[in-house]
Short mmCIF file of all heavy atoms in Angstrom, two decimals:
data_model
loop_
_atom_site.label_atom_id
_atom_site.label_comp_id
_atom_site.label_asym_id
_atom_site.label_seq_id
_atom_site.Cartn_x
_atom_site.Cartn_y
_atom_site.Cartn_z
N PRO A 42 -18.22 49.28 88.17
CA PRO A 42 -17.49 50.55 88.29
C PRO A 42 -17.26 51.26 86.95
O PRO A 42 -16.96 52.44 86.93
CB PRO A 42 -16.16 50.11 88.92
CG PRO A 42 -16.49 48.86 89.66
CD PRO A 42 -17.50 48.17 88.80
N LEU A 43 -17.39 50.55 85.84
CA LEU A 43 -17.14 51.11 84.53
C LEU A 43 -18.44 51.46 83.79
O LEU A 43 -18.41 51.72 82.58
CB LEU A 43 -16.33 50.12 83.68
CG LEU A 43 -15.04 49.60 84.31
CD1 LEU A 43 -14.41 48.58 83.41
CD2 LEU A 43 -14.08 50.74 84.59
N THR A 44 -19.56 51.50 84.50
CA THR A 44 -20.86 51.67 83.84
C THR A 44 -20.89 52.89 82.96
O THR A 44 -21.35 52.84 81.81
CB THR A 44 -21.98 51.78 84.91
OG1 THR A 44 -22.01 50.56 85.64
CG2 THR A 44 -23.33 52.00 84.25
N SER A 45 -20.39 54.02 83.46
CA SER A 45 -20.46 55.26 82.64
C SER A 45 -19.60 55.16 81.39
O SER A 45 -19.95 55.69 80.32
CB SER A 45 -20.03 56.46 83.49
OG SER A 45 -18.68 56.29 83.94
N GLU A 46 -18.46 54.48 81.49
CA GLU A 46 -17.59 54.35 80.35
C GLU A 46 -18.14 53.39 79.30
O GLU A 46 -17.79 53.48 78.12
CB GLU A 46 -16.21 53.84 80.80
CG GLU A 46 -15.47 54.77 81.73
CD GLU A 46 -15.05 56.05 81.06
OE1 GLU A 46 -14.93 56.06 79.82
OE2 GLU A 46 -14.84 57.06 81.76
N LEU A 47 -19.00 52.48 79.72
CA LEU A 47 -19.51 51.45 78.81
C LEU A 47 -20.74 51.93 78.02
O LEU A 47 -21.17 51.26 77.09
CB LEU A 47 -19.87 50.18 79.57
CG LEU A 47 -18.66 49.41 80.14
CD1 LEU A 47 -19.13 48.26 81.01
CD2 LEU A 47 -17.79 48.88 79.01
N THR A 48 -21.29 53.08 78.37
CA THR A 48 -22.48 53.58 77.68
C THR A 48 -22.15 53.79 76.19
O THR A 48 -21.20 54.47 75.83
CB THR A 48 -22.92 54.91 78.30
OG1 THR A 48 -23.22 54.69 79.69
CG2 THR A 48 -24.18 55.43 77.58
N GLY A 49 -22.93 53.14 75.35
CA GLY A 49 -22.74 53.28 73.92
C GLY A 49 -21.65 52.43 73.34
O GLY A 49 -21.36 52.47 72.13
N ARG A 50 -20.98 51.64 74.16
CA ARG A 50 -19.91 50.77 73.70
C ARG A 50 -20.45 49.40 73.29
O ARG A 50 -21.47 48.93 73.82
CB ARG A 50 -18.86 50.56 74.77
CG ARG A 50 -18.32 51.86 75.38
CD ARG A 50 -17.45 52.62 74.41
NE ARG A 50 -16.93 53.83 75.03
CZ ARG A 50 -16.18 54.73 74.36
NH1 ARG A 50 -15.89 54.51 73.10
NH2 ARG A 50 -15.75 55.80 74.99
N ALA A 51 -19.75 48.73 72.37
CA ALA A 51 -20.18 47.42 71.92
C ALA A 51 -19.22 46.31 72.33
O ALA A 51 -19.54 45.13 72.18
CB ALA A 51 -20.33 47.40 70.40
N GLU A 52 -18.05 46.67 72.86
CA GLU A 52 -17.02 45.67 73.10
C GLU A 52 -16.27 45.96 74.39
O GLU A 52 -16.04 47.09 74.77
CB GLU A 52 -16.03 45.67 71.93
CG GLU A 52 -14.93 44.62 72.03
CD GLU A 52 -14.11 44.55 70.75
OE1 GLU A 52 -13.32 45.49 70.52
OE2 GLU A 52 -14.25 43.58 69.99
N ILE A 53 -15.91 44.86 75.08
CA ILE A 53 -15.04 44.95 76.26
C ILE A 53 -13.79 44.13 75.95
O ILE A 53 -13.88 42.97 75.57
CB ILE A 53 -15.72 44.39 77.50
CG1 ILE A 53 -16.95 45.25 77.88
CG2 ILE A 53 -14.75 44.33 78.68
CD1 ILE A 53 -17.74 44.69 79.05
N VAL A 54 -12.62 44.76 76.09
CA VAL A 54 -11.34 44.07 75.88
C VAL A 54 -10.66 43.93 77.23
O VAL A 54 -10.51 44.90 77.95
CB VAL A 54 -10.45 44.86 74.93
CG1 VAL A 54 -9.13 44.14 74.70
CG2 VAL A 54 -11.15 45.09 73.57
N VAL A 55 -10.29 42.72 77.56
CA VAL A 55 -9.71 42.44 78.87
C VAL A 55 -8.25 41.97 78.69
O VAL A 55 -7.95 41.10 77.87
CB VAL A 55 -10.49 41.30 79.60
CG1 VAL A 55 -9.91 41.06 80.98
CG2 VAL A 55 -11.98 41.67 79.69
N VAL A 56 -7.35 42.62 79.45
CA VAL A 56 -5.96 42.17 79.54
C VAL A 56 -5.81 41.64 80.97
O VAL A 56 -5.48 42.39 81.88
CB VAL A 56 -4.97 43.29 79.25
CG1 VAL A 56 -3.53 42.78 79.26
CG2 VAL A 56 -5.27 43.94 77.89
N PRO A 57 -6.07 40.36 81.20
CA PRO A 57 -6.14 39.84 82.56
C PRO A 57 -4.77 39.43 83.11
O PRO A 57 -3.84 39.16 82.37
CB PRO A 57 -7.04 38.63 82.42
CG PRO A 57 -6.74 38.12 81.04
CD PRO A 57 -6.41 39.33 80.21
N ASP A 58 -4.70 39.37 84.42
CA ASP A 58 -3.50 38.92 85.08
C ASP A 58 -3.89 38.09 86.30
O ASP A 58 -4.90 38.36 86.96
CB ASP A 58 -2.64 40.13 85.52
CG ASP A 58 -1.32 39.71 86.10
OD1 ASP A 58 -0.67 38.83 85.52
OD2 ASP A 58 -0.91 40.26 87.15
N ARG A 59 -3.12 37.02 86.57
CA ARG A 59 -3.33 36.17 87.76
C ARG A 59 -4.78 35.73 87.86
O ARG A 59 -5.33 35.14 86.96
CB ARG A 59 -2.82 36.90 89.00
CG ARG A 59 -1.31 37.08 88.99
CD ARG A 59 -0.78 37.43 90.35
NE ARG A 59 0.67 37.60 90.30
CZ ARG A 59 1.42 37.77 91.37
NH1 ARG A 59 0.90 37.79 92.59
NH2 ARG A 59 2.74 37.93 91.26
N GLU A 60 -5.44 36.03 89.00
CA GLU A 60 -6.79 35.54 89.22
C GLU A 60 -7.78 36.00 88.15
O GLU A 60 -8.73 35.30 87.82
CB GLU A 60 -7.30 35.97 90.60
CG GLU A 60 -6.76 35.17 91.75
CD GLU A 60 -5.29 35.45 92.04
OE1 GLU A 60 -4.82 36.53 91.64
OE2 GLU A 60 -4.64 34.60 92.66
N LEU A 61 -7.55 37.18 87.57
CA LEU A 61 -8.47 37.68 86.57
C LEU A 61 -8.46 36.83 85.30
O LEU A 61 -9.42 36.84 84.54
CB LEU A 61 -8.14 39.13 86.21
CG LEU A 61 -8.42 40.17 87.31
CD1 LEU A 61 -8.04 41.57 86.83
CD2 LEU A 61 -9.89 40.14 87.72
N ALA A 62 -7.38 36.11 85.08
CA ALA A 62 -7.31 35.23 83.90
C ALA A 62 -8.29 34.06 84.01
O ALA A 62 -8.57 33.40 83.02
CB ALA A 62 -5.87 34.70 83.72
N ARG A 63 -8.82 33.79 85.20
CA ARG A 63 -9.77 32.69 85.40
C ARG A 63 -11.21 33.18 85.31
O ARG A 63 -12.13 32.38 85.35
CB ARG A 63 -9.54 32.07 86.77
CG ARG A 63 -8.18 31.41 86.97
CD ARG A 63 -8.03 30.94 88.43
NE ARG A 63 -9.12 30.06 88.80
CZ ARG A 63 -9.58 29.94 90.04
NH1 ARG A 63 -9.07 30.66 91.02
NH2 ARG A 63 -10.57 29.11 90.31
N VAL A 64 -11.45 34.47 85.17
CA VAL A 64 -12.78 35.04 85.20
C VAL A 64 -13.42 34.91 83.82
O VAL A 64 -12.87 35.41 82.82
CB VAL A 64 -12.76 36.50 85.63
CG1 VAL A 64 -14.16 37.10 85.52
CG2 VAL A 64 -12.23 36.63 87.05
N PRO A 65 -14.58 34.26 83.71
CA PRO A 65 -15.30 34.19 82.41
C PRO A 65 -16.12 35.46 82.23
O PRO A 65 -17.32 35.50 82.51
CB PRO A 65 -16.16 32.95 82.58
CG PRO A 65 -16.46 32.93 84.06
CD PRO A 65 -15.25 33.50 84.75
N PHE A 66 -15.52 36.53 81.74
CA PHE A 66 -16.17 37.85 81.70
C PHE A 66 -17.49 37.81 80.93
O PHE A 66 -18.45 38.48 81.29
CB PHE A 66 -15.22 38.88 81.12
CG PHE A 66 -14.20 39.38 82.09
CD1 PHE A 66 -13.01 38.70 82.28
CD2 PHE A 66 -14.45 40.51 82.85
CE1 PHE A 66 -12.08 39.14 83.21
CE2 PHE A 66 -13.51 40.97 83.77
CZ PHE A 66 -12.32 40.29 83.96
N ALA A 67 -17.57 37.05 79.84
CA ALA A 67 -18.80 37.01 79.06
C ALA A 67 -19.96 36.42 79.85
O ALA A 67 -21.12 36.68 79.54
CB ALA A 67 -18.58 36.19 77.79
N ALA A 68 -19.64 35.62 80.87
CA ALA A 68 -20.68 34.94 81.64
C ALA A 68 -21.00 35.65 82.96
O ALA A 68 -21.72 35.11 83.80
CB ALA A 68 -20.25 33.50 81.93
N LEU A 69 -20.50 36.87 83.15
CA LEU A 69 -20.89 37.63 84.32
C LEU A 69 -22.30 38.18 84.12
O LEU A 69 -22.70 38.49 83.01
CB LEU A 69 -19.90 38.76 84.59
CG LEU A 69 -18.43 38.30 84.78
CD1 LEU A 69 -17.57 39.45 85.24
CD2 LEU A 69 -18.32 37.12 85.73
N TRP A 70 -23.03 38.33 85.24
CA TRP A 70 -24.47 38.58 85.15
C TRP A 70 -24.85 39.88 85.87
O TRP A 70 -24.49 40.07 87.04
CB TRP A 70 -25.21 37.41 85.77
CG TRP A 70 -26.70 37.42 85.63
CD1 TRP A 70 -27.40 37.23 84.47
CD2 TRP A 70 -27.67 37.61 86.64
NE1 TRP A 70 -28.76 37.26 84.73
CE2 TRP A 70 -28.95 37.51 86.05
CE3 TRP A 70 -27.58 37.84 88.02
CZ2 TRP A 70 -30.13 37.65 86.79
CZ3 TRP A 70 -28.76 37.98 88.76
CH2 TRP A 70 -30.01 37.89 88.13
N ASN A 71 -25.57 40.73 85.15
CA ASN A 71 -26.02 42.02 85.67
C ASN A 71 -27.37 41.81 86.37
O ASN A 71 -28.39 41.60 85.72
CB ASN A 71 -26.16 43.02 84.52
CG ASN A 71 -26.52 44.40 85.00
OD1 ASN A 71 -27.03 44.60 86.09
ND2 ASN A 71 -26.25 45.38 84.14
N ARG A 72 -27.35 41.89 87.70
CA ARG A 72 -28.58 41.65 88.45
C ARG A 72 -29.64 42.72 88.17
O ARG A 72 -30.84 42.50 88.32
CB ARG A 72 -28.28 41.57 89.94
CG ARG A 72 -28.03 42.90 90.59
CD ARG A 72 -27.75 42.78 92.11
NE ARG A 72 -26.41 42.29 92.36
CZ ARG A 72 -26.01 41.72 93.49
NH1 ARG A 72 -26.90 41.54 94.45
NH2 ARG A 72 -24.77 41.36 93.65
N GLY A 73 -29.18 43.92 87.78
CA GLY A 73 -30.12 45.01 87.50
C GLY A 73 -30.92 44.79 86.24
O GLY A 73 -32.14 45.11 86.19
N THR A 74 -30.29 44.23 85.23
CA THR A 74 -30.98 44.03 83.94
C THR A 74 -31.37 42.56 83.71
O THR A 74 -32.17 42.29 82.80
CB THR A 74 -30.08 44.47 82.77
OG1 THR A 74 -28.92 43.65 82.72
CG2 THR A 74 -29.68 45.94 82.93
N GLY A 75 -30.78 41.66 84.50
CA GLY A 75 -31.04 40.25 84.29
C GLY A 75 -30.38 39.72 83.04
O GLY A 75 -30.83 38.71 82.47
#
Side-chain angles (χ1 to χ4, degrees):
L43 307 176
T44 299
S45 60
E46 298 292 338
L47 291 173
T48 301
R50 307 290 181 183
E52 183 173 72
I53 296 175
V54 181
V55 183
V56 184
D58 186 44
R59 293 195 180 188
E60 282 73 21
L61 291 180
R63 297 174 55 209
V64 175
F66 280 86
L69 303 189
W70 188 70
N71 184 339
R72 75 179 78 200
T74 63

